[in-house]
Structures are given as structure tokens and as C-alpha cells.
Amino acid sequence: DSSVLEQLVDLGDAADREFLVELVDIFLRDAPTRVQAVIDCANKGDLEGVERAAHSLKGSAGNLGAVLMRDIAETLQNASRTHDETTVSAHAPKLGPAYAAVESELRKYLASIT
């Protein structure tokens, strides 16, 4: 949801825009590691690991308007808490493609404001 990013930019000045760019850069650096952690933990049946990594992704994705990615991470987090391995197995593979779409959109967005 690009409107989330636009609202963040509209609220501030040039310094805030730089801060937003930094937040996006951090997300783009950190998210692939967390996505892979979710997938690896899901493959090993490490539900606690899935929950931790998914929780982190949920927050950062939500802050940047990555709604689908946030929703998948939330589903994984909740399923891990309830030991629902079937849901974890079904949703973990969706996280990589969701991140790829978010990454593409965020890179376009960065190019448009810098």
C-alpha cells in the first residue's frame, strides 16, 4: 500500500524523507535474512524460530505498507504460536514471492523520491 509511504513523506520535511529512505534501506537489507529464517525454521519444524522471524517481518512490513507480506507473516506467527504446522508449511513458501514483490515496489519508490 504505497499510501502508507506517501503519508510518512507528507508528514515531514526533507530530513524525514531521508529517514524514510533509511528505513526502506534497512528493510531491504534485513528482510531477506528474516524471510530465509522463516523458511528454514519452517522446514526444520522450528515453530519458535518461525514465530520470532515472522513477528519481526510483520512489524517492519506493516510499517512500510507491505500489506500482503505483513498478513502472511502474521498468519505464520499465529500458526506457530498454536503449533499449527500445516498452516506454517502452507504459508512459509508464500513469503519469498511476497518479499520479491515488495522489494520491487520499494526500489521503484526509492527511485521516484531520490
Side-chain angles (χ1 to χ4, degrees):
D1 182 358
S2 62
S3 70
V4 172
L5 295 173
E6 292 301 324
Q7 288 172 2
L8 291 172
V9 169
D10 289 345
L11 289 175
D13 56 16
D16 292 325
R17 180 170 279 151
E18 290 175 26
F19 180 69
L20 177 59
V21 168
E22 185 177 333
L23 283 177
V24 171
D25 284 340
I26 290 168
F27 177 80
L28 292 173
R29 279 194 314 266
D30 292 348
T33 302
R34 299 208 187 277
V35 167
Q36 192 60 53
V38 168
I39 292 167
D40 291 346
C41 289
N43 288 339
K44 291 187 272 183
D46 176 5
L47 297 180
E48 187 176 307
V50 170
E51 182 180 357
R52 277 193 313 274
H55 174 76
S56 176
L57 280 172
K58 179 184 76 172
S60 58
N63 289 338
L64 295 175
V67 177
L68 177 61
M69 190 172 170
R70 179 204 61 208
D71 291 349
I72 294 169
E74 183 174 29
T75 296
L76 287 163
Q77 180 184 4
N78 292 336
S80 296
R81 283 183 181 155
T82 61
H83 303 281
D84 182 354
E85 292 181 23
T86 301
T87 299
V88 169
S89 295
H91 284 81
K94 297 176 183 179
L95 206 47
Y99 171 73
V102 168
E103 177 187 25
S104 175
E105 290 302 313
L106 287 176
R107 291 198 186 280
K108 287 180 202 173
Y109 180 76
L110 286 177
S112 76
I113 65 166
T114 55

